[in-house]
Amino acid sequence: MRFQYCPHCGNQLVKKEIGDEGLIPFCEKCKVPLWDMFTISIIAAVVNEQNEVALLRQHYVSATKYVCVAGIMKIGESAEEAVVREIKEEIGLDVEEVKFIKSYPYEKKEMLMLGYKAVVKKADFILSGEVDSVEWVKFENALSLLREGSIGWQLVKQVID
């Protein structure tokens, strides 16, 4: 989100030199800088003890490729809590271990995605309404089902390497 007006008072912002940051939107009335904001979300490569990864079909995301579990962090929860919650909500599995892998800027959606490996026991899925289908996929077949170069692809590649 790029501010043009102050969210506190509604005044139009001016550009002001702020330390090493350069020209930053600034409210002269409230005397506050308003840095660009982005949404923080998680993305998880959900893996089991049989070297498989859970890949989802969500047609509102892609009609042709699979994706990983992902979701927006809620105020008051840690990134790790968001991973556990999203996996339980989307595919109905309980997470045994969560490991941070890497952060991924997603400029197109003004988002920062925090990538995790989440270990679960292999079990049947219980899908939420936002998931069309999900499959356990052997590590060696997973990358071909994801959009090459996508954040999900990068995360799964790093997890299986």
Side-chain angles (χ1 to χ4, degrees), residues 6-87:
C6 179
H8 308 289
C9 71
N11 279 0
Q12 187 164 8
L13 303 175
V14 299
K15 295 286 186 178
K16 182 176 180 180
E17 189 82 29
I18 306 286
D20 295 338
E21 302 300 321
L23 292 174
I24 301 297
F26 186 83
C27 179
E28 292 180 316
K29 180 178 178 187
C30 297
K31 306 290 185 222
V32 294
L34 293 155
W35 279 270
D36 294 340
M37 295 176 63
F38 50 86
T39 302
I40 300 175
S41 67
I42 61 87
I43 183 167
V46 180
V47 300
N48 66 31
E49 70 280 6
Q50 296 178 19
N51 289 331
E52 297 172 316
V53 60
L55 296 182
L56 290 65
R57 295 302 296 252
Q58 292 178 298
H59 290 297
Y60 73 92
V61 177
S62 175
T64 59
K65 293 294 183 179
Y66 286 80
V67 296
C68 293
V69 170
I72 304 299
M73 288 178 55
K74 294 182 177 179
I75 292 175
E77 80 181 339
S78 70
E80 293 77 13
E81 290 167 338
V83 169
V84 170
R85 177 184 51 76
E86 286 289 345
I87 292 168

Side-chain angles (χ1 to χ4, degrees), residues 44-48 83 87 95-99 116-120:
V46 180
V47 300
N48 66 31
V83 169
I87 292 168
V95 176
E96 295 185 338
E97 179 186 340
V98 175
K99 180 182 178 198
Y116 286 86
K117 173 184 175 183
V119 179
V120 301

Side-chain angles (χ1 to χ4, degrees), residues 98-111:
V98 175
K99 180 182 178 198
F100 177 73
I101 301 297
K102 183 180 175 188
S103 62
Y104 303 89
Y106 189 10
E107 196 169 346
K108 177 180 166 186
K109 294 203 174 182
E110 296 183 347
M111 189 178 286

